[in-house]
Amino acid sequence: MLHLLDANVLITANRLYYPLERVPEFWDWLAHMGQSSHIKIPLEIVEEITGSADDLATWLSDKPNLDALLLDEDADVVLVQRVIDEGYASDLNDIEIEKIGRDPFLIAAALRKPAERLVVTIEASKPATRRANRRIPDVCSDLKVRWIDNFELIRTLDFSTSWRRA
């Protein structure tokens, strides 16, 4: 199974749970999982992260990490449009499209091979939201794309620092 990461998974991990400078094992594990083709990030999501000037952007821009984690395929514009039309609304205005951001690219990448791919996000389902306010889990569910949260990813792929008390 290929796990496609939303930008918020990395951003939140770095800010709250596994800062790059304090838990480098997590980031090494991510790169290893990418190299092993268990985790990938679509280009549009990579650009969300590398578009800022912080430690996370620097880490992901580093060639070995980028090579390991980048999903090496072009976005399928037909699937991206389907995600927008069926997952959000077919008549979104420019402001709504901007609010959605690059999430449709992430979902479309999973929709390309739904039996082999799933989305990983920290967003929580909020089914009552409509149009540009929809959450990734709800759009995924509507399109029959599997999704999990970041903690399920860690359990599924068995991240551990292997530290034990003596």
Side-chain angles (χ1 to χ4, degrees), residues 118-137:
L118 60 80
V119 169
V120 182
T121 184
I122 65 163
E123 287 186 14
S125 173
K126 195 171 181 185
T129 59
R130 295 288 172 250
R131 300 182 62 85
N133 295 317
R134 301 225 45 225
R135 303 281 178 87
I136 288 174

Side-chain angles (χ1 to χ4, degrees), residues 56-67:
L56 180 58
T58 301
W59 178 84
L60 187 53
S61 297
D62 185 47
K63 186 162 175 39
N65 298 327
L66 185 59
D67 288 349

Side-chain angles (χ1 to χ4, degrees), residues 29 33 151-162:
W29 173 79
M33 288 290 113
F151 297 114
E152 183 63 26
L153 171 75
I154 287 166
R155 284 188 294 275
T156 300
L157 296 182
D158 199 27
F159 169 68
S160 172
T161 59
S162 298

